[in-house]
Amino acid sequence: MDGYKKIRQNLVHQGKVVGFYEDIITLPNGNTVTWDLVKHPGAAAIIPVTEEGNILLVRQYRNALDAMTYEIPAGGIEQGESGYDCVKREIEEETGCRAEKIEPLITIVTAIGFCDEKIPIFVGTGLHKTEQNLDEDEFIDVYEFTPEKVKDMILKGEIVDAKTISGIMTYLNTL
């Protein structure tokens, strides 16, 4: 890759979801460096859009920030599962709605400087109310906002999640 060569990759720690690695790399100028890498199995996210054109967001606690956050529904892709199958499951688990139509929007890389996590983001329409089916460690509230309100929340810094901002702003630019 244009003069970069990975010499070795050392697993430092394998967590429940992610692995932490040290990559030993030779640079184009011949110098050798050690770079951190977090390997992630992948996740998928969905923007639930109501019949009125409003957007459902979930509000949940995020340990990394020690704060409650507004986000689009998302979850880890399980072994052998596609991004589509993941969001089909996650939208119902987190919002208590099933989407009649699920279409791909974009795929993002969440933290390209040190992590390989990719998140395909979808748009879900034709929502039908079912029941939330939260995991044992999830406590999620669902809110409905107009597209204008969600954009305003992003611009005011009330929504800080990268997948949510990327997905919503891309979605709003397709309208």
Side-chain angles (χ1 to χ4, degrees), residues 45-51 56 73 84-104 122-131:
I46 188 164
I47 302 167
V49 180
T50 68
E51 192 174 304
L56 300 183
Y84 174 89
D85 290 334
C86 176
V87 295
K88 186 176 178 185
R89 172 177 48 80
E90 287 293 334
I91 190 174
E92 188 165 13
E93 283 181 11
E94 293 188 3
T95 69
C97 291
R98 195 172 289 145
E100 193 174 287
K101 188 175 183 183
I102 297 174
E103 295 181 290
F122 298 79
V123 176
T125 56
L127 304 182
H128 301 284
K129 190 77 176 134
T130 60
E131 242 180 72

Side-chain angles (χ1 to χ4, degrees), residues 77-163:
I77 296 175
E78 296 177 358
Q79 184 76 27
E81 185 178 50
S82 69
Y84 174 89
D85 290 334
C86 176
V87 295
K88 186 176 178 185
R89 172 177 48 80
E90 287 293 334
I91 190 174
E92 188 165 13
E93 283 181 11
E94 293 188 3
T95 69
C97 291
R98 195 172 289 145
E100 193 174 287
K101 188 175 183 183
I102 297 174
E103 295 181 290
L105 181 65
I106 59 169
T107 297
I108 63 167
V109 178
T110 58
I112 205 162
F114 63 89
C115 184
D116 69 352
E117 180 186 30
K118 291 181 183 169
I119 301 181
I121 301 174
F122 298 79
V123 176
T125 56
L127 304 182
H128 301 284
K129 190 77 176 134
T130 60
E131 242 180 72
Q132 260 186 331
N133 185 21
L134 300 173
D135 293 338
E136 185 178 284
D137 62 348
E138 288 182 312
F139 300 89
I140 294 175
D141 295 315
V142 182
Y143 294 86
E144 182 175 332
F145 298 104
T146 65
E148 296 78 20
K149 176 63 176 169
V150 176
K151 183 178 179 182
D152 185 56
M153 292 168 73
I154 290 169
L155 296 175
K156 287 182 175 176
E158 295 170 19
I159 295 175
V160 296
D161 174 59
K163 73 180 175 303

Side-chain angles (χ1 to χ4, degrees), residues 47-67:
I47 302 167
V49 180
T50 68
E51 192 174 304
E52 300 78 27
N54 292 333
I55 296 169
L56 300 183
L57 295 178
V58 296
R59 187 167 184 263
Q60 60 187 323
Y61 175 78
R62 289 299 190 178
N63 183 55
L65 299 179
D66 190 25

